[in-house]
Amino acid sequence: MPYPYAWVKLNQAGDAERTVTPRAGHTLTPMSQGFFLFGGMDGRRNDQGNPAPNSDLFVLKLGQKGEYEWSPIELDAASQVPPARTLHSALGTSADEIFIWGGIHSAMPFQTLQDGWILDTSCMEWKKVHFKAAPTGNRGSASRRMSGLIQDRAQDDASGRKKSSSLKLRGSKARASISARAGSISFSSLAGAATRAVSDRRGSTRGSIAGGGLAMGGGSKKWHGILQKKMGLMLQSGGGGGGKGATSGGGSAMKMRKQNQPGPTGNLMTTSEEQFHEELVAMVSQGQRDDGNAGSDPNAPPPRSNHTTSLHENSVILFGGHGGVGYQRRPFNDTWILNLDNQRWTELACHGNPPPPRSGHQAFSKDGCVYIFAGWNNEMQFNDLFMLDIENKDWSDVDLSWGVPRWNCSLQLVEAIPSWRVFVFGGTADVNGEGRTGGVFDSRIGVLDLGEPLRWGDPALEMKPDDPLPQPREHSAICYDREESRLVIFGGWANKWLDDVWQINVSSIVGPPYAITKVEPPLGPVTGGMKVIVYGIGFQSTNGMVIIEFACGKLSATTQGNVISDEVIECLTPSVIGNIGPKECQVRVQIGPRDFTTTMSKYNYFLNSIPEKSLCFGPGTLQEQQAGVETRFVIQCRNQNGENRKSGRDEFLVTVQQKVQTPEGKDALRDVPFEINDENNGKTEVKYQADEGEVVIHVKLIDENGKPRPIRGSPYKPTFSSMARNKANEHSGPLVTAWIGSTLKSLDEFYQTTNTGHQTKLKDGDVMNLIKVMNHIFDMYDQEDNLILKQDEIVETLAQLEREGLPSDKQLKQLKKIAANITQLKDDIVAKEKEIQPMMLKESDTYRKAIVEFENELKTYQGGLRKEAYYYYKSGLELAQKRLHDVTTDLDNFDKRMEDLLHIATNFKYPEELNNSKKLMVAMREDVANCRGLWEFEVNRIKTTERFLVVKWGQVVAGDMEDEIKALFKKLKEVKVDRKTDCYTGIQDVVKKWTVFCPLVGELRDPAMRPRHWTQLMDMCGKSIQVSPDILLRDMWNLELHKFPDAVEDTADQAKQEMKMENTLKKLAKEWADVEFQFESHKGSEVMLMKIADDKFEMLEEHQVQVQNMFASRFLATFETEVLSWQKTLSNIAEVSTLLSEVQRSWVFLENLFIYSDEVKK
């Protein structure tokens, strides 16, 4: 998800004394070292007490935690220092150069600049730019408009020529500032200077009078009378060194003004003496500017401030501004271009619909056009948007405004997806329609989408109502941090100078937070499958599938990549045989749901080649030929010295096959008939005709041993299309021409890249740049054969075109230049390799020692890990986890250092020397991981047991609890850690306590437990609780029953046994509460016999046995009295039953004897 589109105020870090004073009118320029601040106005005053700008130079660095830091720049001792200025312009014109131009040097008296300076950030040195004159020695049209003697200007006015629009801009507001200055200059000094201005330098003086002076029209008759009178008195007295010539010149000037005197309706002059003084000051400024010592540069645009400069290719485009020569204050709408190669300014003679003169505007350059937005002049304010087509010098009104007119705002162009965006911040806005006097400071952000069509937007801030916002302001500096996708503003004016730093993340507007910078290696075969590394930034900022696109025009092929680091993606190149072919591609990256990058890198596909001396060339080996039309290619035989053979009779093994699909859908090759013709001059021509699709050509030369060996470039894989261009199969056709151009381009690009790379300046200890130079050297050696092959192919192709009557001088000249460059490059590479050899040996030895020191450092660190808190259980969970995090951070830092060392060691060819360090890191990582796993187990154990402890006693399920504890104990045994460590034994002891405690809980949860048993347990533990179903298990845990497992089990067993006895006694009481006797008639008589039921009698015997067993129990004491009672009771019942049975049995016997026996009857 993108960061919210919200303002965040940054906090200053570092030394609080190294801060930048509040200011406005400064510039911030992004460079690799940070954002360079220069100049501005911050309340300082000069020796006369007037406000003065400064020439401060600081670098702003942004941190990762909402912090920033200012650092003053220490200039090179030999560096010059530009004059102080504000409202100037600054541009980064290269990777290490900043170009500044113009600005206000003095507020009172008002003075603007026209000088240019370059700051070389690689050595922190200012260099003044000495602009060169136009090649013909003539000045541009703007210079002519602003030049000439006063009388010349008067003659122009007399001829009725329309006055410059800048004259109309010098109204009463502009005169007010001049009047203020005029009071401090004596009239005689002014008159003398005026005289010199109009007569002493009649033939050579140059300067602009567009903003005022004697040549201005629109004054009243009274003004001219006063001026003539004053000038006459001045000339008569010889004030200021006038002399005769001066008097004549002055009179001539007055005459010309009088002849062209306008009517009384003029609106630029007043009749006051103060106004006269003001105009005279303007005239003096004209004379001072014409003086050769004034420092005006005829080779640069007129001095100005509050202008804009934009970078276009290798040129600076300047537009507008406010100022002029001397003390002038007029707006401009001229356009100048500075060629940075020759440092020559040229005024563009543009046509179309140019913007009105203005300053306080903003500008940016994009796609060969410069855009101008907003601004002001003395007559009106603007919110319009104009576009200059630089190549065609054509101005046009885009007719696209944003909001109300505004000026002195800040603008930043940002690369975005799918179209670039322009952000406009703050400034002064005419929200009430009252003009400049009623303008209010603004803090809004407008976004101009440069897509089709152009459109303005006001994205809503993703902020809460009470979140802080930047104070509305003007003349603030804005810049863009591409890595973090954030705009940064600093300072400005809001009726006071500001020094706050704010940022707003615009990633949600500008697209993905990643970019591609290059692909290594930058070329490979059309068959694909080559491993390449895509370099860039921010690849780990987004999760998802990585797609790498290789595109050439409307054709493209994609492959999937793997993110290795934030700056590296690896992938295998896709096959482009069937679409793109051997051409240069633009490579872009897409990650997850985000769009493709707008930044691209070049990748060159080429046909397979092998290092032999002979070669093939011609349309028959190229892609996108006409299907069904005969094509051809030439085999050029060369000897071992690379020289063309002059005779034929060479033997070749050539196969031409077309890719087809079998009826089963499988790819197959079908032989294509071909004709081979030995031209007997070292060249052999092969002709064939193929259908639409791809053809594979193998060309092998039969060597002197009869062994076929493939020549350079073989096999070839041309393709055929029914949509190919006409005559594509001819040597002179467009296909060959295009191939020559693309091949020359790739050769030159390699030269430019390698030549620039190997010339990198190396300082002692700069191993990274050393490695880059080494890699360029290796690249040169690696690509040498391929470079030779391409040059050979072009040479042979151009020679063939020459034989067919087509001139190829241009390409041949280009090839010779490239070949000479590459040859020289190879010599330079060899020399460079020798030059850096001592440094390579030195750095190699240095980093060998560094690797040893790093390994020893790892060993020392590893030795101290056993003393870490996470090895001791008493340290506690919080401290253990903190130390694990700290140690992990240390190991991460070690890994980063090791990666740097490995990179260096790999380039120095001894990466194996880091093997021991790798093993140490693996071991420490493993130990930390094991300990982390143990403490993570402890976290889980605490959660589990804490969940148990808050359960009410009446709701405890001891069996489930015991099962979970057993599972925990099993997991503990699975943790891979040294079991002798204190942390393991400590955790193990706690788990063991729970393994003892849980069964005891199950025992104590038995309903046989009585208060007497709990009392017995509490006496044993020395602790007391009130046992009830509502108490927590924690209360039982606090009794520390695990310390007395045997005693607890005995007590529980006692309770169970006593409960059995209690139940038996209850059963006895129930069964023997009443003894029932059964009665039955004896032999049908009225005599009834009485007895206990048989089952009852059996029960009696059983109960007697149970009571007797109770006497053998060690838990009898509690029930001894009751048991004795039941013993007697049951015994009595048994005895009575026995006696009754005996009496009845005797009576039955005697009855038979005395009543029923025969003897008795007798």
Side-chain angles (χ1 to χ4, degrees):
M1 291 295 292
Y3 288 96
Y5 181 62
W7 283 108
V8 176
K9 186 174 182 180
L10 305 184
N11 301 314
Q12 183 170 356
D15 189 355
E17 295 181 0
R18 299 172 66 184
T19 187
V20 174
T21 56
R23 66 187 59 213
H26 51 283
T27 54
L28 270 182
T29 309
M31 302 298 286
S32 60
Q33 301 93 326
F35 301 96
F36 282 73
L37 177 143
F38 175 73
M41 185 79 77
D42 62 355
R44 304 180 204 179
R45 294 184 176 270
N46 57 22
D47 296 338
Q48 289 76 35
N50 296 325
N54 59 73
S55 58
D56 292 346
L57 185 61
F58 284 80
V59 64
L60 171 65
K61 295 183 179 179
L62 303 178
Q64 297 294 326
K65 298 181 179 180
E67 296 180 341
Y68 68 93
E69 183 177 1
W70 289 109
S71 299
I73 299 300
E74 295 183 7
L75 294 174
D76 186 271
S79 174
Q80 305 177 62
V81 178
R85 67 193 67 209
T86 185
L87 299 183
H88 54 283
S89 62
L91 280 176
T93 55
S94 69
D96 52 10
E97 289 186 343
I98 300 174
F99 172 77
I100 68 167
W101 191 88
I104 297 176
H105 179 60
S106 171
M108 294 182 63
F110 183 80
Q111 179 185 1
T112 53
L113 301 172
Q114 62 176 157
D115 56 340
W117 293 77
I118 288 181
L119 174 63
D120 187 343
T121 59
S122 64
C123 59
M124 297 305 171
E125 179 181 3
W126 282 107
K127 299 176 182 177
K128 185 173 183 179
V129 181
H130 297 284
F131 300 122
K132 297 180 181 178
T136 60
N138 298 326
R139 307 204 322 268
S141 60
S143 180
R144 290 194 298 272
R145 289 197 302 270
M146 299 174 61
S147 302
L149 297 174
I150 294 177
Q151 52 266 47
D152 294 338
R153 174 61 64 181
Q155 289 171 356
D156 291 341
D157 291 345
S159 65
R161 186 170 57 189
K162 184 177 179 180
K163 296 176 177 53
S164 170
S165 61
S166 61
L167 293 176
K168 300 178 182 179
L169 298 177
R170 291 195 57 83
S172 58
K173 293 182 180 178
R175 284 196 300 276
S177 60
I178 300 178
S179 299
R181 295 193 305 271
S184 62
I185 306 175
S186 68
F187 182 82
S188 61
S189 298
L190 293 172
T195 304
R196 288 193 302 274
V198 300
S199 70
D200 285 5
R201 300 177 58 83
R202 292 185 58 185
S204 60
T205 53
R206 297 177 298 178
S208 170
I209 58 171
L214 286 177
M216 291 187 66
S220 66
K221 294 182 178 181
K222 187 173 182 180
W223 150 250
H224 285 284
I226 294 173
L227 182 60
Q228 271 192 316
K229 182 177 180 181
K230 294 293 184 180
M231 288 298 297
L233 293 174
M234 178 188 70
L235 295 175
Q236 289 174 7
S237 62
K244 182 176 180 180
T247 303
S248 173
S252 175
M254 294 307 103
K255 277 185 180 180
M256 288 185 288
R257 284 300 307 271
K258 190 170 183 179
Q259 290 171 358
N260 194 34
Q261 182 175 2
T265 58
N267 61 352
L268 295 182
M269 298 298 171
T270 65
T271 58
S272 66
E273 182 177 352
E274 180 181 354
Q275 184 60 39
F276 162 75
H277 204 70
E278 171 190 334
E279 297 299 334
L280 197 54
V281 168
M283 185 187 71
V284 172
S285 69
Q286 167 77 18
Q288 290 175 342
R289 181 183 56 77
D290 288 342
D291 191 343
N293 297 325
S296 179
D297 188 351
N299 300 323
R304 66 189 72 192
S305 65
N306 223 358
H307 55 282
T308 57
T309 52
S310 307
L311 187 65
H312 169 65
E313 297 179 351
N314 200 34
S315 300
V316 175
I317 310 298
L318 181 146
F319 174 79
H322 181 258
V325 220
Y327 302 112
Q328 285 185 335
R329 295 190 180 187
R330 73 180 186 96
F332 292 92
N333 70 336
D334 50 353
T335 305
W336 295 76
I337 183 168
L338 171 64
N339 188 320
L340 294 174
D341 288 332
N342 56 27
Q343 298 180 347
R344 178 175 290 123
W345 282 105
T346 303
E347 183 179 12
L348 295 182
C350 302
H351 54 273
N353 181 18
R358 65 184 70 196
S359 65
H361 56 283
Q362 289 296 332
F364 63 92
S365 173
K366 182 72 171 69
D367 296 335
C369 295
V370 172
Y371 295 80
I372 304 297
F373 171 71
W376 65 275
N377 61 29
N378 288 355
E379 295 181 348
M380 62 187 302
Q381 300 77 42
F382 308 96
N383 65 343
D384 49 10
L385 181 67
F386 281 79
M387 180 184 75
L388 171 64
D389 185 336
I390 300 174
E391 181 178 359
N392 297 318
K393 303 180 182 64
D394 182 27
W395 278 109
S396 59
D397 188 347
V398 182
D399 193 21
L400 185 67
S401 61
W402 174 56
V404 299
R406 66 182 57 238
W407 53 96
N408 300 338
C409 52
S410 305
L411 181 145
Q412 178 65 50
L413 175 65
V414 176
E415 181 180 354
I417 296 173
S419 56
W420 289 40
R421 303 293 196 276
V422 179
F423 292 83
V424 177
F425 166 75
T428 302
D430 186 13
V431 296
N432 300 317
E434 299 175 356
R436 287 192 66 217
T437 57
V440 296
F441 299 127
D442 196 10
S443 63
R444 290 192 304 151
I445 297 180
V447 181
L448 176 61
D449 188 342
L450 297 183
E452 291 292 338
L454 298 177
R455 58 188 179 275
W456 282 102
D458 296 87
L461 294 173
E462 300 172 4
M463 302 178 68
K464 298 178 182 179
D466 54 346
D467 287 343
L469 290 168
Q471 184 176 356
R473 66 192 68 196
E474 67 175 6
H475 289 312
S476 178
I478 190 170
C479 54
Y480 181 66
D481 179 6
R482 182 174 179 178
E483 292 184 359
E484 298 295 332
S485 298
R486 56 182 171 177
L487 294 173
V488 179
I489 64 168
F490 166 71
W493 173 258
N495 292 326
K496 65 176 181 179
W497 287 289
L498 303 175
D499 65 346
D500 50 349
V501 179
W502 292 79
Q503 74 170 33
I504 183 169
N505 193 290
V506 295
S507 59
S508 60
I509 298 176
V510 301
Y514 48 84
I516 178 175
T517 56
K518 65 176 180 178
V519 178
E520 289 290 343
L523 68 171
V526 293
T527 51
M530 182 175 182
K531 181 179 178 180
V532 296
I533 298 178
V534 180
Y535 292 94
I537 57 174
F539 291 144
Q540 291 179 333
S541 62
T542 304
N543 296 324
M545 180 181 294
V546 180
I547 301 297
I548 315 297
E549 180 190 64
F550 294 73
C552 178
K554 296 181 179 180
L555 302 177
S556 66
T558 60
T559 185
Q560 187 172 342
N562 297 315
V563 176
I564 304 302
S565 69
D566 196 57
E567 299 176 349
V568 174
I569 293 176
E570 287 186 353
C571 71
L572 297 178
T573 57
S575 172
V576 293
I577 296 175
N579 53 2
I580 299 175
K583 297 178 182 178
E584 182 182 88
C585 292
Q586 300 289 345
V587 182
R588 300 193 301 166
V589 176
Q590 179 189 42
I591 304 178
R594 296 185 180 274
D595 293 325
F596 280 102
T597 56
T598 55
T599 55
M600 295 170 283
S601 182
K602 294 179 180 179
Y603 186 87
N604 284 292
Y605 279 107
F606 60 86
L607 289 172
N608 292 2
S609 60
I610 53 177
E612 295 289 339
K613 299 298 181 181
S614 299
L615 71 150
C616 292
F617 65 92
T621 62
L622 303 179
Q623 300 279 323
E624 296 297 321
Q625 299 180 62
Q626 287 179 283
V629 178
E630 184 180 72
T631 186
R632 66 195 67 198
F633 64 91
V634 176
I635 307 171
Q636 174 63 61
C637 294
R638 290 189 171 186
N639 59 25
Q640 291 299 316
N641 296 326
E643 300 170 343
N644 287 350
R645 291 281 304 277
K646 303 299 182 183
S647 60
R649 302 179 65 86
D650 290 302
E651 295 185 36
F652 298 96
L653 177 61
V654 178
T655 60
V656 181
Q657 297 173 309
Q658 184 150 27
K659 284 190 176 183
V660 295
Q661 280 194 336
T662 65
E664 295 79 17
K666 297 181 179 179
D667 290 336
L669 292 175
R670 173 175 54 85
D671 289 337
V672 175
F674 63 90
E675 176 185 343
I676 185 167
N677 177 35
D678 185 355
E679 297 182 358
N680 203 29
N681 58 359
K683 296 178 178 63
T684 300
E685 186 178 57
V686 178
K687 300 179 182 179
Y688 67 96
Q689 180 175 317
D691 298 330
E692 188 169 9
E694 184 178 346
V695 172
V696 179
I697 302 174
H698 289 270
V699 180
K700 297 181 180 180
L701 175 67
I702 307 299
D703 65 13
E704 62 276 8
N705 298 319
K707 180 180 178 181
R709 298 174 59 186
I711 68 169
R712 287 188 298 171
S714 176
Y716 299 96
K717 297 181 179 180
T719 58
F720 292 82
S721 171
S722 58
M723 304 299 294
R725 299 171 66 180
N726 189 33
K727 297 184 179 182
N729 295 9
E730 298 180 8
H731 278 289
S732 57
L735 195 59
V736 172
T737 303
W739 173 83
I740 293 173
S742 63
T743 306
L744 286 172
K745 182 179 179 182
S746 65
L747 290 173
D748 188 57
E749 285 176 351
F750 175 84
Y751 164 73
Q752 297 293 343
T753 302
T754 308
N755 186 52
T756 302
H758 92 279
Q759 292 180 10
T760 301
K761 295 181 180 180
L762 299 177
K763 298 180 181 179
D764 191 28
D766 188 3
V767 68
M768 291 304 174
N769 279 330
L770 173 63
I771 289 175
K772 290 180 181 179
V773 172
M774 291 168 55
N775 288 335
H776 282 295
I777 293 174
F778 298 150
D779 284 345
M780 180 63 200
Y781 292 146
D782 293 341
Q783 296 294 329
E784 184 176 4
D785 291 336
N786 185 57
L787 294 173
I788 295 173
L789 172 62
K790 295 300 180 183
Q791 293 175 68
D792 292 344
E793 289 175 345
I794 295 175
V795 168
E796 297 300 333
T797 302
L798 293 178
Q800 180 67 30
L801 294 177
E802 192 74 28
R803 287 191 292 271
E804 294 188 8
L806 294 177
S808 56
D809 295 342
K810 182 178 179 181
Q811 293 94 330
L812 190 59
K813 186 179 297 183
Q814 185 179 358
L815 176 62
K816 288 181 179 179
K817 180 180 178 181
I818 293 174
N821 288 340
I822 293 177
T823 301
Q824 183 60 46
L825 177 62
K826 182 180 178 181
D827 295 339
D828 295 342
I829 288 290
V830 173
K832 190 70 174 182
E833 187 176 20
K834 293 180 180 179
E835 177 188 338
I836 66 174
Q837 192 67 31
M839 187 176 181
M840 290 172 58
L841 295 175
K842 179 182 177 181
E843 295 298 330
S844 176
D845 293 340
T846 299
Y847 279 92
R848 281 182 187 272
K849 295 177 182 178
I851 291 173
V852 174
E853 293 173 357
F854 179 72
E855 182 179 335
N856 292 333
E857 184 179 353
L858 290 181
K859 290 178 179 178
T860 303
Y861 188 83
Q862 185 185 38
L865 290 182
R866 282 289 177 172
K867 300 177 182 179
E868 285 292 340
Y870 55 78
Y871 275 105
Y872 298 92
Y873 184 73
K874 291 183 179 180
S875 300
L877 178 63
E878 184 177 354
L879 179 58
Q881 288 183 326
K882 180 180 181 303
R883 290 306 303 153
L884 281 169
H885 177 269
D886 294 343
V887 171
T888 301
T889 301
D890 292 342
L891 294 179
D892 290 341
N893 293 332
F894 281 131
D895 269 338
K896 292 178 181 177
R897 292 172 57 191
M898 188 167 68
E899 287 177 6
D900 293 339
L901 290 173
L902 181 61
H903 171 71
I904 295 170
T906 301
N907 282 278
F908 284 124
K909 311 301 182 185
Y910 51 75
E912 67 281 352
E913 297 198 9
L914 277 164
N915 288 344
N916 290 338
S917 297
K918 293 180 181 178
K919 292 178 181 178
L920 290 172
M921 287 298 299
V922 169
M924 288 190 287
R925 288 282 190 188
E926 185 177 353
D927 288 344
V928 171
N930 291 340
C931 289
R932 180 179 285 105
L934 180 62
W935 284 102
E936 288 175 353
F937 170 84
E938 175 65 0
V939 171
N940 187 34
R941 193 277 304 167
I942 292 173
K943 291 180 180 178
T944 302
T945 54
E946 283 298 318
R947 176 165 49 84
F948 293 157
L949 293 174
V950 296
V951 177
K952 292 183 177 180
W953 177 250
Q955 299 174 355
V956 171
V957 182
D960 294 346
M961 188 169 66
E962 185 174 359
D963 290 342
E964 288 195 47
I965 293 299
K966 287 181 179 178
L968 275 178
F969 197 63
K970 183 179 180 181
K971 289 182 180 179
L972 177 61
K973 292 181 179 179
E974 293 174 355
V975 176
K976 295 180 180 181
V977 70
D978 186 359
R979 299 188 178 184
K980 296 180 182 180
T981 58
D982 180 76
C983 58
Y984 182 85
T985 56
I987 294 174
Q988 186 183 47
D989 288 344
V990 174
V991 178
K992 284 184 177 179
K993 290 177 182 179
W994 276 91
T995 58
V996 175
F997 176 69
C998 290
L1000 296 180
V1001 170
E1003 294 288 341
L1004 297 179
R1005 283 282 296 140
D1006 195 285
M1009 291 295 293
R1010 297 291 184 267
R1012 63 179 179 276
H1013 302 128
W1014 289 113
T1015 303
Q1016 181 180 340
L1017 284 175
M1018 286 180 249
D1019 292 342
M1020 175 184 62
C1021 297
K1023 299 180 180 180
S1024 177
I1025 61 172
Q1026 188 67 35
V1027 180
S1028 72
D1030 293 330
I1031 67 171
L1032 300 179
L1033 183 62
R1034 189 185 305 279
D1035 299 320
M1036 286 295 172
W1037 174 260
N1038 292 336
L1039 290 177
E1040 297 182 324
L1041 299 177
H1042 54 270
K1043 293 183 178 179
F1044 315 97
D1046 294 337
V1048 173
E1049 289 178 355
D1050 287 345
T1051 301
D1053 185 52
Q1054 176 183 347
K1056 293 175 185 178
Q1057 296 300 326
E1058 288 181 352
M1059 187 173 184
K1060 288 181 181 179
M1061 296 174 67
E1062 184 178 348
N1063 291 336
T1064 301
L1065 292 174
K1066 288 180 180 179
K1067 185 177 180 182
L1068 291 175
K1070 179 180 179 182
E1071 294 292 338
W1072 301 107
D1074 297 311
V1075 181
E1076 295 182 1
F1077 288 87
Q1078 295 179 347
F1079 294 90
E1080 61 182 19
S1081 174
H1082 177 60
K1083 296 181 179 181
S1085 66
E1086 294 180 356
V1087 177
M1088 305 298 290
L1089 296 178
M1090 184 177 63
K1091 69 173 182 178
I1092 298 175
D1094 293 340
D1095 57 340
K1096 201 78 170 178
F1097 191 79
E1098 291 177 359
M1099 183 185 297
L1100 176 62
E1101 291 179 345
E1102 180 182 346
H1103 287 174
Q1104 283 181 307
V1105 172
Q1106 290 177 353
V1107 171
Q1108 191 61 36
N1109 288 339
M1110 290 183 188
F1111 282 102
S1113 174
R1114 58 192 180 96
F1115 306 114
L1116 176 63
T1118 304
F1119 307 100
E1120 185 174 2
T1121 301
E1122 192 173 355
V1123 172
L1124 286 172
S1125 173
W1126 277 106
Q1127 184 186 38
K1128 292 178 181 180
T1129 300
L1130 292 177
S1131 178
N1132 290 337
I1133 295 172
E1135 185 176 354
V1136 169
S1137 176
T1138 301
L1139 288 175
L1140 179 61
S1141 176
E1142 290 178 356
V1143 169
Q1144 291 184 135
R1145 188 166 53 250
S1146 297
W1147 182 85
V1148 171
F1149 174 74
L1150 291 177
E1151 180 192 27
N1152 289 333
L1153 181 62
F1154 290 103
I1155 297 176
Y1156 298 107
S1157 68
D1158 293 338
E1159 289 82 1
V1160 173
K1161 289 180 180 181
K1162 293 177 180 181

